[in-house]
């Protein structure tokens, strides 16, 4: 039932769109229109891609560059370069940047779950990793 309701709302929304108006403008006072972008798309020199993003989307979210495996690949090392690029792209183009999952189970580096002896860390250590991250 929930799925049918959502589809009905989307169909109603699409029916009210002015085909000549970009999505971000058509829904400006209603809600954000977003897209997930990866680091390659953000850093790309593909002007058509960037024009499309700027024209149609009022919001972007990181596909992977804000996940722990990218930002915190080793226990005492952080790398915000790709995440910073996405934020800078959004800011430069007047696009809202939405944060992403802080910790995603299938995209954590090995150190997060296992110790130096290749044993699963204790719940206390895991909680500390989460707090530190």
């Amino acid at each position: 039932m929930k799925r049918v309701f959502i589809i009905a709302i989307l169909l109603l929304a699409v029916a009210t769109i002015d085909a000549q108006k970009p999505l971000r403008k058509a829904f400006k006072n209603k809600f954000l229109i977003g897209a997930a972008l990866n680091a390659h798309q953000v850093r790309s020199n593909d002007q058509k891609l960037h024009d499309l993003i700027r024209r149609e989307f009022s919001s972007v979210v990181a596909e992977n560059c804000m996940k722990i495996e990218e930002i915190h690949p080793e226990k005492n090392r952080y790398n915000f370069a790709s995440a910073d690029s996405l934020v800078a792209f959004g800011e430069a183009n007047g696009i809202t940047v939405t944060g992403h999952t802080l910790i995603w189970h299938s995209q954590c580096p090995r150190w997060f779950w296992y110790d130096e002896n290749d044993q699963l860390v204790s719940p206390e250590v895991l909680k500390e990793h989460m707090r530190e991250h």
Side-chain angles (χ1 to χ4, degrees):
M1 181 67 178
K2 185 177 180 181
R3 179 181 281 178
V4 172
F5 180 71
I6 292 170
I7 291 171
I9 289 176
L10 289 173
L11 288 173
L12 180 61
V14 169
T16 64
I17 296 174
D18 176 347
Q20 303 302 312
K21 190 181 281 191
L23 287 173
R24 71 179 290 152
K25 290 183 180 174
F27 294 105
K28 183 177 181 178
N29 296 318
K30 295 173 178 57
F31 49 83
L32 297 173
I33 298 293
L37 300 180
N38 62 44
H40 174 74
Q41 291 165 323
V42 171
R43 292 186 182 131
S44 168
N45 290 326
D46 184 342
Q47 196 59 45
K48 287 183 180 181
L49 172 65
H50 287 191
D51 289 346
L52 172 75
I53 294 165
R54 280 189 287 270
R55 183 180 67 245
E56 300 295 336
F57 300 106
S58 52
S59 144
V60 294
V61 65
E63 185 175 81
N64 287 306
C65 70
M66 290 184 178
K67 291 182 178 156
I68 189 171
E69 71 180 353
E70 296 284 329
I71 288 180
H72 200 170
E74 296 173 14
K75 188 168 182 158
N76 295 310
R77 185 170 69 89
Y78 291 85
N79 179 1
F80 291 95
S82 292
D84 288 347
S85 292
L86 177 71
V87 172
F89 178 83
E91 288 176 340
N93 292 289
I95 298 172
T96 299
V97 178
T98 304
H100 204 284
T101 305
L102 183 61
I103 299 169
W104 184 250
H105 72 285
S106 67
Q107 288 180 279
C108 283
R110 189 158 181 82
W111 70 264
F112 198 82
W113 305 109
Y114 293 91
D115 65 17
E116 58 280 346
N117 297 316
D118 210 30
Q119 300 296 310
L120 283 171
V121 298
S122 68
E124 293 75 25
V125 170
L126 186 57
K127 288 174 192 172
E128 183 54 34
H129 287 175
M130 288 184 213
R131 277 189 288 276
E132 181 183 305
H133 177 67

